[in-house]
Amino acid sequence: MRALGRVAWSWLLLLQLAGASHVVYDYENLEVEAAADTVPPSIVDPLLRTGYHFQPLKNWINDPNAPLYYKGWYHLFYQYNPKGAVWGNIVWGHSVSRDLINWVALKPAIEPSIASDKYGCWSGSATTLPDGTPAIMYTGVNRPDVNNQVQNIAYPRNKSDPLLREWVKPTHNPIIVPRGGVNATQFRDPTTAWRHADDGHWRLLIGSVDGAARGVAYVYRSRDFKRWTRARRPLHSADTGMWECPDFYPVSTAGRRVGVETSEAESGSSRQAKYVLKNSLDLRRYDYYTIGTYDRTAERYVPDDPAGDERHLRYDYGNFYASKTFYDPAKRRRILWGWANESDTAADDVAKGWAGIQAIPRTVWLDPSGKQLLQWPIEEVEALRGKSVTLKNRVIKPGQHVEVTGIQTAQADVEVSFEFEVSSLVGAEALDDPALASDAQRLCGARGAAVEGGLGPFGLWVLASANREERTAVFFRVFRPARGGDNPVVLMCTDPCKSSLDPNLYQPTFAGFVDTDISNGKISLRSLIDRSVVESFGAGGKTCILSRVYPSLAIGKNARLYVFNNGKADVKVTRLTAWEMKKPLMNGA
Ligand code: DQQ
C-alpha cells in the first residue's frame, strides 16, 4: 500500500497564490503522498495522468460539492475516498484557489463524526446566507445496512478564515429526515437554497424517486434555516427513475454570459423569467436538463417543451455526471462543475492509485434561442496557454488529413473554424432512418469517423500516434434534412474506437446533435486535450462532449494532432490555433 509522508509547501508559492503578502496560512501540516514503491503494474501509463484538470494527489473522487466563492477564494469540495482509488469511505475533500485553475488541497472539510453522517458524507451544496456566511447542506448516511439518508448542515467555525478550513455541525442535525412516504434510501443531494423576497422563506430541493419509479425533486421550505417542511407537491417529477444531484437556477434572458444569483432572482422586479432544472439520472449516469418557468405560487416548475423531460438535453454528451453550478459574484457568472469518471478498469485505477477528475469549469448561460444553454471553458484557463501554432485558409480535400506540427499536443487547447461551400450541403448524406435520426449516439456508432460521408465527417484526430493507428476523432457530420425538415442536421461525435491499442479499455462513442444554423457554411470546434481526457465544445458551446481515453502510443511527446476530412466535399480550415497548455498547481502534484 502507499505510504503517506509529510511535505512542507514552499511559503513563497503559497503567498503568491494567496495574492496577498500579509496573509500567512499554516500549510505545514498538509499531508501529501510520498512516492509509492509497491504499486502493482497498470496498463495505464503514468504520463496519462491529467495535467490541468482538477484532481487530488491520489485516490478516488466523484461529485463536485458546494462550489463557492468566499473572501477572494474559490472553494471546491468533492466526494473523496481518503483510503483508495475506488468509491467508498466517502468524505468531503476540500481545495481552494484564487483563479479556479491553480489549486491547493486542504484537509477534508466534512467527515463522518455524528450519528446522522456516521456511514458517509454524501453530496450537497452551499448557500450564502444574507450576512455572507456560507452554509453547507449535505446528505448523511445514518445506517450502514440500507444506506438510509438524511440531510445535515454545517457552518464555518471561523468566518474570518477565507480558507474555511473547519466546519462545525450544529446539534440540531439532521435537519431533514425522510417522512410521509419518502423513500429513505433514495433521498439525497440537497441543492443550494433560495429565498423568496415576499415571504422571506427559504426553499431547497432534494432528489428522490417515488413508488412509481418517477424521478422527483422534493421542495423543502424553512423560515429560519433550521426547521424544514416538505411542500405538498414536488417541484417537478418525470418518468425517468432516481434523480441524483438536482440543480435549479435562474438564467438571464437579457444578456450574454451574465449569471444570476439564486435568491437575487426572487427579489421584486428582478424576478427571472427562465429557470434551468438539471437532474443526474442514476439509471443512465448522465446529466439532463430542461429550461422552463418557475411558478412561485404553486411552487412548481414547468418545462417550456412539454416533451422536455423525454427529449433529453444534456450538458455534455460524453462522460460528465453529478454536476453542480454556482454563482460567482466576483465575475457575475454562473459556473458549472462536473465529474468525469475514468473509463479504464477498476483494477487499473487501484494500480495507478487515482480515479476521477473534474471537467474544466464552464461558464453557462442561456442561448439567444431560449431553447438550450451554452457552455464555454472559463476564461481563466487561457492563462495556461503557452507556445502556439496557427493554420490559416487550408483546404482539406476529401480523404485528406493535415498534421498540426511545431508544438506538443498531449496537453493542448485547440480552436478551429471550418468553412465549406454552401452548395455542398446538397451532397450531404440522407438521414431517413427515424431510429437513427432521433438517436445521435446510435447514428455516430453507425457512421463513425472512418465511414465516408457527403459533407463530413471532418474534424480533429487528437492524441494520435505517428502512423495514426491510435487516434481519437472529434468531428462533425452533416445530414440532409430528414423528411419534413428544413434545416440540415449536424451531428457532433467523439469516436475513441481507435484511441488505444489496448483492447481492454472501454471506448464508448459519444455524440450529440448540434442545433445550429450552418446554412452559411461555417462551424467551429474547440478541444481541450489533457493526456487522458478530451473535452470538446461544438459551435461555440452548443454541444459538448467529454471523453476519457488511454492511448498506449500517443503519450507525452508522441501525441500528435491532425485535421481530417472523410467526406466527399472540400472543407476549409479558415483558422486553427493550437496552444501547448502549462501545468498549474494541482493540489500538490
Ligand atoms: N454520489 C454521491 C451521492 C450522489 C451520487 C455519493 C452521484 O450523494 O447521489 O458519493 O454520483
Side-chain angles (χ1 to χ4, degrees), residues 62-63 79 87 122-123 188-189 244-245 285 321-322 339:
N62 56 296
D63 318 352
Q79 297 279 282
W87 187 89
W122 288 8
S123 286
R188 54 184 178 266
D189 310 334
E244 298 189 310
C245 301
R285 310 298 285 177
Y321 191 63
W339 163 50

Side-chain angles (χ1 to χ4, degrees), residues 60 62-65 79-80 87-88 90-91 121-124 139 141 149 186-190 242-246 280 282 285 321-323 339:
W60 165 274
N62 56 296
D63 318 352
N65 290 153
Q79 297 279 282
Y80 178 58
W87 187 89
I90 292 294
V91 305
C121 298
W122 288 8
S123 286
T139 298
V141 180
Q149 293 148 32
Q186 304 278 19
F187 179 61
R188 54 184 178 266
D189 310 334
M242 172 68 186
W243 284 357
E244 298 189 310
C245 301
S280 302
D282 197 14
R285 310 298 285 177
Y321 191 63
S323 65
W339 163 50

